[in-house]
Amino acid sequence: MHDHTGFKERVDGVLVRLADEEEETLLALHTELFPLAEQLRRSLARGKRIRAAFLYWGWRAAGQPDCEAVIRAAAAMELVHAAACTHDDIIDGSRMRHGQLTAHAAFDAAGQRSTALAMILGDLLMGYAGHLFTSCGLPGAYLARTVPLWTTLLRETMAGEFLEVLRTAAAPAREPRVAESLEVARYKTAKYTVERPLQLGSTLGGGPGALSEAFSAYGLPLGEAFQLRDDLLGTFGDPARTGKSNLDDLRGGKPTTLLALTLEAAGEDDRRLLAKLVGNPELVPEEAASVRELMDRCGARQRVEDMIRDRIGRAAGALETVPMPAEARSALRELAGTAADRSL
């Protein structure tokens, strides 16, 4: 069994030290930067460290040993994630994440220019990600061969976010389609959560091209399953357990695969109900409950569950197509279940 708890503690340690160092540096610039340092620390304080784990096991799958330098490189993936979440929360108007105020909501509560300050924090986090990765301590030649992948990861993540914003803004005139929703999920989440961290790790470790190809076959379906589960949690999840609202996706009219499947299956009366409620920023819990009931009744929720199960199976099968150390294969099998089978 992979000791993910021990791994998480090591990544957490890297991020805590980074927050300590940057707080000292920021306050040396000016004491009024304390709120920025505080939100930087808060944004790094929580998380399952799934993305870091994928980079680490990509490295190990390439036959490389455990070392502190690769833990630092892996921790950089959590900074990318924190930056993406900070910007995503602004775009979605989400005020809670992991049971705490999001950065822009915290700045707002302090009477500050919340959106502008949170955008700056997100940009700073992405900058720290690159710094931590390139200063991790691995040889320069190892790092140099990852430059194209690092650029691709950032490009794809921003492209997915951009497409989601465009398609959300186009609703209701342009209804979400399943293929388009999956396309957004692929670029916005699947690639930077699973595929690209794995490939960054294997490329750092000098793994063969066949390993990178297998990681695409594993990472893309698993990353899509991760986002599909997130879509279910965003609508059906218990906020007391997920730490975030189950109204934001519906209020924002986010073009999820769950919503696209619901629209495909809905009759005329149900489509009128969806047009009235989904995308209404004033949606109340009772109205959201009627949308959830419809999603259940028309089979959309179950179809998403089926899609998740299918993608986990495809990911598991991809691991058998290429040689890798048994420990790495076992850890990646375990991570597949962890990433996509989160509880509602």
Side-chain angles (χ1 to χ4, degrees):
M1 291 286 288
H2 165 45
D3 178 18
H4 188 71
T5 299
F7 172 81
K8 180 180 177 301
E9 289 173 353
R10 294 170 72 188
V11 172
D12 287 347
V14 171
L15 296 174
V16 167
R17 288 192 294 274
L18 174 72
D20 289 343
E21 292 165 3
E22 293 307 319
E23 179 176 327
E24 183 178 349
T25 303
L26 287 168
L27 294 183
L29 292 175
H30 205 291
T31 56
E32 289 184 34
L33 293 173
F34 177 75
L36 179 60
E38 181 182 39
Q39 290 305 316
L40 167 67
R41 185 180 300 279
R42 286 186 59 206
S43 69
L44 300 178
R46 293 171 176 265
K48 297 180 178 66
R49 312 312 186 200
I50 293 294
R51 293 156 187 85
F54 282 124
L55 187 145
Y56 175 82
W57 286 109
W59 165 268
R60 296 296 303 276
Q64 296 286 0
D66 176 62
C67 65
E68 287 307 307
V70 80
I71 295 295
R72 287 175 56 81
M77 293 298 97
E78 298 303 318
L79 286 157
V80 172
H81 179 52
C85 287
T86 300
H87 288 148
D88 201 45
D89 289 337
I90 297 169
I91 293 166
D92 294 345
S94 299
R95 300 189 64 81
M96 298 295 292
R97 183 179 288 272
H98 298 307
Q100 294 188 346
L101 288 175
T102 56
H104 73 94
F107 284 131
D108 185 48
Q112 296 155 333
R113 291 186 60 197
S114 57
T115 299
L117 294 178
M119 286 172 61
I120 292 167
L121 172 64
D123 292 345
L124 187 64
L125 285 162
M126 195 65 82
Y128 285 146
H131 168 70
L132 182 60
F133 188 81
T134 56
S135 65
C136 68
L138 290 172
Y142 287 29
L143 296 168
R145 58 195 181 208
T146 67
V147 171
L149 265 175
W150 184 262
T151 303
T152 298
L153 178 149
L154 298 179
R155 181 189 301 118
E156 289 168 343
T157 305
M158 296 306 107
E161 190 72 68
F162 196 90
L163 288 172
E164 182 176 71
V165 171
L166 280 181
R167 291 169 184 177
T168 301
R174 173 178 175 167
E175 290 184 352
R177 298 179 176 85
V178 173
E180 291 183 348
S181 298
L182 286 172
E183 182 181 47
V184 168
R186 191 172 305 123
Y187 287 118
K188 181 187 170 186
T189 303
K191 286 179 172 288
Y192 101 88
T193 296
V194 187
E195 182 193 19
R196 298 310 185 197
L198 278 167
Q199 291 177 334
L200 279 166
S202 64
T203 301
L204 277 171
L211 184 60
S212 182
E213 291 172 6
F215 283 158
S216 285
Y218 168 88
L220 280 174
L222 182 57
E224 288 180 8
F226 185 94
Q227 182 58 52
L228 290 167
R229 176 63 64 200
D230 205 55
D231 291 346
L232 287 175
L233 289 169
T235 297
F236 288 94
D238 177 0
R241 300 179 67 181
T242 65
K244 61 181 181 180
S245 170
N246 59 10
L247 297 175
D248 287 351
D249 284 4
L250 295 176
R251 284 174 172 168
K254 187 173 286 192
T256 62
T257 300
L258 175 64
L259 178 58
L261 288 169
T262 303
L263 284 163
E264 277 188 1
E268 188 175 333
D269 290 344
D270 288 336
R271 290 174 72 87
R272 279 196 291 268
L273 177 70
L274 291 170
K276 176 184 176 183
L277 299 181
V278 176
N280 175 9
E282 305 300 324
L283 183 77
V284 298
E286 293 76 17
E287 292 171 326
S290 67
V291 176
R292 295 188 194 103
E293 188 275 331
L294 169 57
M295 288 174 163
D296 260 328
R297 173 164 46 84
C298 76
R301 181 180 183 181
Q302 185 57 53
R303 285 184 66 187
V304 173
E305 290 284 4
D306 293 342
M307 291 169 74
I308 292 170
R309 186 166 51 252
D310 171 71
R311 281 158 174 75
I312 293 174
R314 283 159 48 193
L319 292 177
E320 309 306 319
T321 64
V322 65
M324 71 178 72
E327 186 180 9
R329 195 187 312 275
S330 175
L332 290 172
R333 285 187 188 131
E334 186 179 334
L335 283 168
T338 301
D341 279 348
R342 294 165 290 159
S343 172
L344 290 172

